[in-house]
Amino acid sequence: MVLLEVKNLSTHFFLKESRVRAVDDVCFTVEKGKILGVAGESGCGKTTTALSIMRMLPPAGKIVKGEIYLEGIDLLKKNKEEMRQTKWKELSYIFQYAMNAFNPVMTVGEQIAEVIIEKQDTNSKSGKKEAWKKVKESFEIVGLDPDRSKNYPHEFSGGMRQRAIIAMAMACDPKLLIADEPVTALDVIVEKKILKLLREIQTKYDLGIMFITHDLSVIAESCDEVAIMYAGKLVEVGDASTIFHKGAHPYTRMLIRSFPSILGECKRIEPISGIPPDLANPPLGCRFHPRCPIATKECKEEIPPFEQFSTSRHQVACFHAGESIA
Amino acid sequence: MSLKSYIARRALDSIFLLIVTVVFNFVLFRIMPGNPALAVLGRTGQVRPEFREALQIRYGTNLPIWDQFVIYLQRLLEGDLGFSFYYYPTPVSDLIFSHRLLNTVLLMGISILLSFILAIIFGTIAASKFKSKTDLVSIFITLTSYSTPVFWVGMLIIFYFFGQFHLIPLSGSPRLEDPKYADFFAWALDYCYHLIGPVTTLTISFVGAWFLIARDQMLGVFMEDYITTARAKGLKERRVLFVHARKNAMLPMISVLALAMTYLVSGATLTETVFSWDGIGLLTFDAVTYSDYPLLQGLFLLVAAVAIFSSFLADIIYAYLDPRIRY
Amino acid sequence: MSITGAKDGSIQYLTPSLLTRYKIRFNRFWHLYTDSPFGLIGIFLVLLFVGMGVFAPILAPYDPNRPMVGDRSDNPSLSHPLGTDRLGRDIFSQMIFGAQVSLLIGLSAAFISLVIGTFIGLTSGYYGGFIDLLLMRITDFFIQLPTLPLMLVVVSLFGGGMENLILIIGFLGWTGTARIVRSETLSIKQRAFVEASKSVGAGNRHIIIGHILPNVFPLIFANAILGVVNSIIAEAGLSFLGFGVVGSWSWGRVLYEAGRENAILLGSWWHFIPPGISIMLLALGFSLISFSLNEVLNPRLRER
């Protein structure tokens, strides 16, 4: 069942003299109970896509086109107040900078309780008690000592803080969770634990997760589906195994090749040469063509359509999808 | 360093500064041209030599400078600030610690509190609408207020609100001892009535100075990640601003308040002059006008002591309030 | 980044590109500076009064000091646009000449503060340790002291007059600059190019003058302009209380005379409203410039 559907989303940043096409014509869906991993180099528009869904873009950013359906309701049609009420109740967000996500002068429990109270219908005293009960419960779910909810953020370790953030994200039983680089700042062992925790919670609550990361190994480990972005465009979407084994877009393949594999044979890592384009003046045609080894004249002139490729859930935007890249 | 040893170090610093101030205070008023006693004699014109001598002995100016310093210290420790030239023979301490100090503390206290609250509210609103029309307009207004001499604001207020609309009294500060007041409340009411003009003047001037600081602090806090989180949580904007942001932005404002604590006793010379508010500011003006050095010395010492103490206090409060600070 | 490259003969060939680089930097600066209209309004206001001060002898219809016996305490008229004072002196001419004194005192006092503040800030930030502790305690103390009463005391000791006023306002206004220069120095001291310079054996003086000063200068400049505002306001206050310049006319002195003549109660607005507005507009001009510069240069704001 489709939980989130993003249709033809374009988000541009309007600077004084230029317009940066940070996200251009992006379509994808997140299924209920599935994890969609969104991958790509930094600056490719992953976070902007996520912030567009939250409607939390910085002032210069504007959604110029598209629809975002959460359980069939277009979030972009909601007014500010409706959107505010939707946030956290229906969709919550884990930010990149986990370490500073908590206010240093308030206790962790307070910050979780306040959002539960905010989203409750009643505002009575019992509501406050109820909220604190839920705080303790959520602490237990993420494997934290409930008594620690009275502590200040700086008294938590990095891993504990990340757990507390997940507890906060789950506090109001959302349907969709957007996690923006949730494990990037953590060391490998803690990272493993947190990923496991996310998986557990996701199965337990039948949650849909949009998981943003630049780290393909994290995606391989934890995601059901993968979306690859390049320079503000979606280049390929599909099942995790399809993408990793039968990736059809040259960028996808090169991206996978540029990551070391522990299980496979020892291969030389091949970095992708060149740099991502300037999104204020993106190249004509396929945005990847200046760096693509198999680009042809067609690629330089026309934008490749985003089409179904091998299976029904596998879509690629490339004229030469599936061709070998030497 | 623990909080305790931090306090101890700051206390030592403060005591050192206090000693420097006492010495400075003594030296500053000895390096002025001529003999301090001549000032009072100059005012009385031709005097008999016996009287001149008596005065010199009274002020100790006939003694060597080192002895003068020792006497100055001894008297200071006894709380004796000497005698005023102008209001002779009233002791300086009686002049300062009187209705004047009360008048000034009340006037400054109310103005500072009001301005502080206003500056924080406006600063928060402006910062939350960074670079919007509201923000730019409030910056322009406060820069204008910062650029306007406070006494001229007072003049305008008298001109319009007394002269044209008859909303406020001209000037003065009612005294409880005045027989025209039937009881305490009659006095209090009239006192408040007389406060309107100077309080408005000072508030305009203080808000002009503090608004930008408050806005700047708020902007800094708004860049913090936890504010983004609070917004993502779908909290009401009011809660984001006044619970999540304010608490953090308030910390640096403590030093602003510490600065203001000094004004609490120093008064506002210009405003008090314009409104004939009988406070420490006006007393300072008189002391300067009449070259009343003992009085100036006493005033300077009081203000400096409060300045040192409030900066000490601010540092301690700061260290105590922010759980992250480790010295 | 550093300017010293241009002085060094061995890399002389860099000079032309350095010039273009400054051009580019200036263009970028100007672009940011004009982001809000404030900066331009500020420049306009300041130039307006600079023009008024420079051309005062031409613009003023009368000698501001010459009493005209027949025209005592006149209301505004065609011959005296702002009337005359009780000695029959033309107020409009006093206003025009006032621009000279306000600008002169404002600029020179701010310059003195700038030099002292920069010296103390650089020394404190660069050397650190005990010197830093001592200098900053003193600075904090001076920040805490109410400025105007202190100025009054010093004026009463040393007397008024233009030179004394400039010196006193300048010598008591350095604290803010010192603080800012110190914190900037502290951060620049840590940067790689200073380390590099040290590692090749450059002396402290060379590092301070060649590396740190050029980098803190923009911020010093923005702060100095705020110093001009403070000095103009301080001069107005001192003059209003009767401790200002004697021979020449400043707007503060015009207000002092207006106060002595009871202009407020008599309702002669022409005597006290124009000088007040002039002080306000000139100070506002400098404030706006300083604000806009700060928006561009302040490292804390730069990231936004």
Side-chain angles (χ1 to χ4, degrees), chain B:
Chain B
M1 201 190 287
S2 74
L3 189 63
K4 228 179 225 166
S5 57
Y6 174 70
I7 294 175
R9 207 193 70 195
R10 282 295 285 111
L12 271 179
D13 281 356
S14 303
I15 292 169
F16 169 73
L17 258 185
L18 207 60
I19 294 170
V20 172
T21 311
V22 168
V23 176
F24 179 71
N25 197 17
F26 177 79
V27 173
L28 182 68
F29 292 94
R30 290 297 178 292
I31 54 171
M32 71 200 156
N35 188 322
L38 289 180
V40 68
L41 297 174
R43 197 169 51 78
T44 45
Q46 286 288 324
V47 281
R48 280 176 301 161
E50 308 95 85
F51 185 53
R52 175 193 293 246
E53 205 151 292
L55 262 177
Q56 289 214 336
I57 290 165
R58 164 65 95 192
Y59 288 102
T61 43
N62 53 341
L63 298 170
I65 195 116
W66 181 246
D67 291 346
Q68 284 186 38
F69 183 62
V70 172
I71 293 170
Y72 162 80
L73 276 184
Q74 273 172 354
R75 288 193 176 155
L76 200 62
L77 287 173
E78 291 161 14
D80 179 3
L81 296 171
F83 296 93
S84 156
F85 287 163
Y86 183 68
Y87 298 93
Y88 190 82
T90 321
V92 167
S93 46
D94 286 6
L95 283 170
I96 297 175
F97 300 101
S98 61
H99 66 280
R100 292 189 185 86
L101 189 60
L102 182 75
N103 279 344
T104 284
V105 168
L106 279 172
L107 169 66
M108 300 311 282
I110 295 170
S111 311
I112 288 168
L113 204 69
L114 203 65
S115 319
F116 199 69
I117 294 168
L118 288 178
I120 285 180
I121 292 176
F122 291 147
T124 308
I125 293 171
S128 74
K129 302 190 171 170
F130 182 56
K131 291 233 162 135
S132 70
K133 223 170 228 162
T134 322
D135 187 27
L136 291 182
V137 168
S138 36
I139 290 170
F140 192 82
I141 291 174
T142 43
L143 280 181
T144 310
S145 129
Y146 185 81
S147 311
T148 312
V150 58
F151 63 88
W152 189 64
V153 176
M155 289 166 96
L156 285 188
I157 283 179
I158 292 179
F159 181 65
Y160 284 105
F161 294 102
F162 167 75
Q164 310 283 312
F165 307 124
H166 312 289
L167 287 173
I168 58 166
L170 170 60
S171 62
S173 47
R175 292 191 64 178
L176 186 54
E177 294 86 352
D178 196 324
K180 81 177 185 200
Y181 298 115
D183 52 23
F184 178 79
F185 290 104
W187 165 79
L189 203 70
D190 197 40
Y191 194 84
C192 291
Y193 186 46
H194 279 81
L195 266 173
I196 298 173
V199 165
T200 313
T201 306
L202 282 170
T203 304
I204 290 173
S205 143
F206 283 144
V207 170
W210 294 341
F211 164 84
L212 277 182
I213 303 176
R215 172 180 172 272
D216 227 45
Q217 296 300 346
M218 275 293 172
L219 280 179
V221 172
F222 283 158
M223 282 159 54
E224 300 280 353
D225 302 333
Y226 52 80
I227 295 300
T228 319
T229 311
R231 290 222 167 100
K233 274 153 76 177
L235 300 178
K236 290 201 180 76
E237 190 64 14
R238 218 180 45 233
R239 192 172 167 86
V240 176
L241 294 185
F242 289 100
V243 176
H244 281 268
R246 205 210 53 215
K247 267 192 185 169
N248 288 282
M250 275 300 281
L251 287 173
M253 289 301 281
I254 290 174
S255 40
V256 173
L257 212 54
L259 228 87
M261 238 173 91
T262 317
Y263 302 146
L264 205 59
V265 295
S266 77
T269 309
L270 287 164
T271 312
E272 289 181 14
T273 311
V274 171
F275 286 95
S276 307
W277 187 260
D278 195 12
I280 300 293
L282 200 60
L283 189 65
T284 312
F285 176 64
D286 283 347
V288 173
T289 313
Y290 302 117
S291 303
D292 193 339
Y293 296 118
L295 182 53
L296 273 179
Q297 232 175 340
L299 286 167
F300 182 80
L301 206 60
L302 170 76
V303 172
V306 172
I308 292 167
F309 179 69
S310 57
S311 107
F312 169 69
L313 206 65
D315 281 2
I316 303 299
I317 293 175
Y318 205 109
Y320 177 75
L321 273 187
D322 193 337
R324 290 162 298 175
I325 285 188
R326 294 278 175 277
Y327 287 93

